[in-house]
Amino acid sequence: MPPIDQSDRTVIAPTSVSAPPPPSSGDTLLLGTKLGEFEVTGLIGQGGFGIVYSAYDHSLQRKVALKEYMPSALAARSGAVTVSVRSDRHADTFAAGLKSFINEARLLAQFDHPSLVKVYRFWEANGTAYMVMPFYEGVTLKDALRDLGGPPDEAWLKGLLHPLLDALAVLHHEQCFHRDIAPDNILILNDGRPLLLDFGAARRVIEDMTQALTVILKPGYAPVEQYAEMPDMKQGAWTDIYALASVIYFAATGNPPVASVARMMTDSLQPISTVAAGRYSERFLQGVDKALAVRPNDRPQKVEELRELWGLAPQQKHSHSATPTLATGSSNLHAATPSPSPSKSGSPHIQHSAASPSSANKQPFALYAIGSLVLIAITAAGWFIYNREQKLEAELHALESQTSRKQAPAEGSSPQSETAPPAPTQEPTSTPPPAPRVNDKPFSPGHMLDEIFEGRNREHAVTASVEKAQVRIGRDSLRFNISSSKAGYVYVLVIGTNRSDFYLLFPNAAQKENRIAPGQSLKLPNSKWPMTAHGPAGTNQFVAIVSDEPRDFGELQPEPEDIFKKFPLDLGAKLYRDYSGASPLFAGKAVCASGAQCSESYGSTIFSIEEID
């Protein structure tokens, strides 16, 4: 078998200038190729295990990155979109890599952390598999450190470490390990958020099965157990801990540590507590040295231990203060639907059983991971979006600040932020209230779904899996599962294939109970309201909400249609134009018992099912 290309790394290309696309081969999809609602608009890069394209999501009208499983040594393009194995002797290896691609995409789709890549959607088709991720802009940590012109201070490093440790804790809780943390695998977005990149299980599966690859490790960042796993040197959380400590060593000294295998015989590494003494706290430096221990058992075994060593308390809420801000030199880095009538609606036809109650100044860069089949970096939305409670607190604070200028302060102090100590003897500093929502985008159902998704609580993971990503009109049923990391109430909104029918699909008159338990999978639709694809051809776009409290959509005045409720678009457009609420209009309003404090928090996910002829 020919050697497999290992140049499958993160590709960075300037977005502000016209640059030729990476070299392509006959195995790449042609520009304009449509995969469901996604249209290929460009080639970002390709390597030995996959191809990444820029694409346009016609449903939500946004640019995304689309990754295709394509191990070039095992398979080739046999048609416009179809992928076929080159030889029967490669079939098992190809299938194993494909399974790993899907399994890991499914796992990553459950993560909703700002420092991990958000997988919007993944599916199998055309003999291969795909995943869709956000389109990100930023620079690598390696470049950011170079542009600083000198070692960052401790506060900067800890600001970087807070979100990265949180992200690793999320991964490690699922027994998932990165194994390739390095300065060029951490991206600093334009808002300052650090993102983990290049996480590839499928590559390792193929390596293990073919034994045709020499594992590529980064000297200085890879611990000794990654060179040859032995009974007393298994890989685990401590593997990522060593690599992260190596990143800190590089940031503080300008050089990576001595390669771990060389340290096994004679450890010539100068401790960071010696070479960086006086520039950082002793506790922090000694903690880094301990995390760089050669033998795995001598290192911290869990992220929690590492936090304690480095003097980093767990970060409960994401805030601007937890993010490094870089401003140096030329750089500016801040750190399927119901329809009672047939083909008119363009929505899936609902077939009811008898039980149914109703009948019928450095330039930014665009970054994509193409090196591993599963890419870890970050969520689709921003790390620094305040939740509903924070906004209310800011409004109250501002109101009291303004009032205090006109009259004596009322008994007690005004609300304080979590990090600011109370100062009852001083007039509170005025905090401007949050700016009102600016509805500068035209109203469309797709944009409403996008707003719901963007307004979610990122600590509340909600996932959806579809039985079939493509269903045949008149033959197949639309089925999907909703899962949630927290208890709550499930709501599903859907836009039909005609892009204008907009429904509250669930709960409905046939199934009103919508409570879900943590870790539970809710299968929808149930037998009382089966949904059959009825055309026209196109994509049904869904958003699932799992809310802390029940939600009311009465303000939108949905109209009963069959067992469902349909949103009138003319009224929705009018309400949206004048809407200035903090939470998305079409997410509804949380409803709580009288006198109880009501949480507007919810988790959310977006998914789609395509109808084909």
Side-chain angles (χ1 to χ4, degrees):
M1 184 178 72
I4 299 177
D5 176 19
Q6 297 190 63
S7 62
D8 210 15
R9 306 300 306 152
T10 299
V11 170
I12 302 175
T15 60
S16 57
V17 296
S18 297
S24 63
S25 70
D27 287 338
T28 60
L29 294 170
L30 296 177
L31 299 188
T33 299
K34 291 187 176 180
L35 301 168
E37 66 268 38
F38 305 104
E39 180 180 352
V40 174
T41 58
L43 174 65
I44 302 302
Q46 62 185 118
F49 297 88
I51 304 173
V52 174
Y53 309 89
S54 61
Y56 187 73
D57 180 349
H58 286 278
S59 293
L60 294 178
Q61 301 177 358
R62 62 184 174 185
K63 190 174 184 179
V64 296
L66 186 151
K67 188 169 186 176
E68 179 183 37
Y69 173 62
M70 174 62 87
S72 57
L74 308 178
R77 191 83 59 192
S78 59
V81 294
T82 305
V83 174
S84 300
V85 179
R86 293 182 183 273
S87 169
D88 288 344
R89 65 192 179 94
H90 299 323
D92 289 344
T93 305
F94 178 88
L98 179 65
K99 182 179 179 180
S100 179
F101 180 98
I102 289 295
N103 287 343
E104 197 130 14
R106 181 177 291 112
L107 178 65
L108 290 175
Q110 298 178 31
F111 297 143
D112 201 356
H113 190 280
S115 287
L116 297 176
V117 158
K118 180 63 180 175
V119 175
Y120 286 145
R121 181 183 163 190
F122 59 92
W123 71 99
E124 289 186 66
N126 308 316
T128 185
Y130 310 90
M131 68 172 72
V132 177
M133 302 161 289
F135 183 96
Y136 300 108
E137 290 187 340
V139 297
T140 65
L141 175 60
K142 184 176 181 179
D143 288 339
L145 290 170
R146 180 195 62 212
D147 293 337
L148 277 176
D153 60 25
E154 185 168 331
W156 191 97
L157 287 175
K158 286 186 174 180
L160 180 81
L161 291 169
H162 265 300
L164 291 179
L165 288 174
D166 284 349
L168 287 178
V170 170
L171 287 178
H172 295 171
H173 183 265
E174 300 297 332
Q175 295 301 302
C176 188
F177 310 108
H178 189 284
R179 297 185 175 94
D180 197 16
I181 297 173
D184 57 350
N185 277 346
I186 298 172
L187 181 72
I188 307 294
L189 289 187
N190 292 342
D191 64 5
R193 183 178 12 133
L195 316 174
L196 281 172
L197 306 173
D198 283 340
F199 177 76
R203 175 173 57 188
R204 289 191 293 274
V205 167
I206 294 175
E207 288 170 356
D208 291 343
M209 293 188 67
T210 64
Q211 296 183 343
L213 299 176
T214 302
V215 177
I216 300 298
L217 298 175
K218 294 184 175 69
Y221 302 99
V224 67
E225 64 267 23
Q226 284 190 267
Y227 287 87
E229 192 161 305
M230 295 172 281
D232 62 337
M233 287 192 181
K234 298 289 185 183
Q235 296 183 38
W238 48 89
T239 303
D240 288 342
I241 285 172
Y242 183 97
L244 187 59
S246 297
V247 170
I248 301 306
Y249 192 100
F250 172 79
T253 68
N255 296 295
V258 177
S260 59
V261 287
R263 296 176 61 197
M264 285 291 291
M265 298 300 293
T266 303
D267 192 354
S268 60
L269 177 67
Q270 286 188 289
I272 193 172
S273 55
T274 299
V275 295
R279 291 192 284 114
Y280 304 92
S281 68
E282 185 177 355
R283 176 183 180 182
F284 181 63
L285 294 178
Q286 289 180 349
V288 175
D289 282 335
K290 186 169 180 61
L292 284 172
V294 177
R295 297 191 62 83
N297 291 342
D298 295 335
R299 299 176 216 141
Q301 300 296 291
K302 297 180 180 179
V303 166
E304 290 73 17
E305 295 178 40
L306 192 65
R307 283 194 181 111
E308 177 64 26
L309 277 174
W310 288 356
L312 293 163
Q315 192 172 15
Q316 300 299 325
K317 293 185 178 181
H318 311 319
S319 67
H320 288 283
S321 62
T323 303
T325 299
L326 313 183
T328 174
S330 60
S331 297
N332 184 13
L333 314 175
H334 298 289
T337 56
S339 172
S341 57
S343 58
K344 277 193 200 176
S345 67
S347 307
H349 179 59
I350 309 302
Q351 295 180 332
H352 299 293
S353 67
S356 174
S358 178
S359 58
N361 284 5
K362 182 182 180 81
Q363 297 295 337
F365 293 90
L367 178 145
Y368 301 90
I370 67 169
S372 48
L373 292 175
V374 179
L375 168 99
I376 287 193
I378 30 309
T379 137
W383 169 247
F384 304 115
I385 299 176
Y386 285 88
N387 62 25
R388 173 73 168 169
E389 291 76 13
Q390 289 172 309
K391 290 184 177 180
L392 289 174
E393 184 179 53
E395 290 171 353
L396 288 172
H397 191 179
L399 180 61
E400 292 197 33
S401 298
Q402 295 164 1
T403 304
S404 65
R405 300 189 186 96
K406 300 180 181 179
Q407 60 185 29
E411 182 178 353
S413 59
S414 63
Q416 301 290 323
S417 69
E418 289 187 1
T419 56
T425 59
Q426 299 178 1
E427 180 178 276
T429 303
S430 175
T431 301
R437 177 188 296 271
V438 178
N439 297 327
D440 55 352
K441 293 184 179 180
F443 171 84
S444 71
H447 179 53
M448 297 304 98
L449 294 197
D450 208 16
E451 280 203 351
I452 293 172
F453 179 70
E454 295 296 333
R456 72 199 186 284
N457 175 1
R458 286 151 184 78
E459 295 180 357
H460 183 170
V462 176
T463 60
S465 60
V466 299
E467 183 177 281
K468 293 182 178 180
Q470 292 181 323
V471 291
R472 296 166 295 178
I473 296 173
R475 299 177 64 180
D476 295 332
S477 295
L478 288 74
R479 301 189 185 96
F480 51 88
N481 296 336
I482 305 296
S483 300
S484 174
S485 63
K486 299 180 180 180
Y489 298 86
V490 179
Y491 299 87
V492 180
L493 284 66
V494 64
I495 305 168
T497 58
N498 63 0
R499 314 311 304 152
S500 60
D501 285 341
F502 193 10
Y503 288 86
L504 176 60
L505 185 71
F506 178 78
N508 52 52
Q511 188 178 357
K512 297 181 179 180
E513 175 55 44
N514 66 331
R515 182 75 174 169
I516 192 171
Q520 177 187 358
S521 182
L522 181 62
K523 296 183 178 181
L524 298 173
N526 70 11
S527 59
K528 295 181 180 180
W529 52 289
M531 298 173 64
T532 302
H534 198 273
T539 301
N540 302 288
Q541 192 73 46
F542 300 79
V543 66
I545 298 170
V546 180
S547 174
D548 290 359
E549 306 291 348
R551 305 189 82 84
D552 177 36
F553 295 83
E555 182 181 0
L556 301 167
Q557 300 180 29
E559 302 164 347
E561 186 168 299
D562 204 10
I563 65 170
F564 308 96
K565 291 185 177 180
K566 184 176 181 179
F567 298 113
L569 299 188
D570 54 349
L571 175 63
K574 180 180 183 302
L575 292 173
Y576 180 70
R577 184 176 63 250
D578 302 328
Y579 185 65
S580 59
S583 61
L585 173 63
F586 276 80
K589 302 288 187 183
V591 179
C592 300
S594 178
Q597 185 177 2
C598 206
S599 170
E600 288 283 352
S601 178
Y602 64 86
S604 181
T605 189
I606 284 179
F607 61 102
S608 58
I609 301 177
E610 182 186 12
E611 295 186 39
I612 60 176
D613 293 321

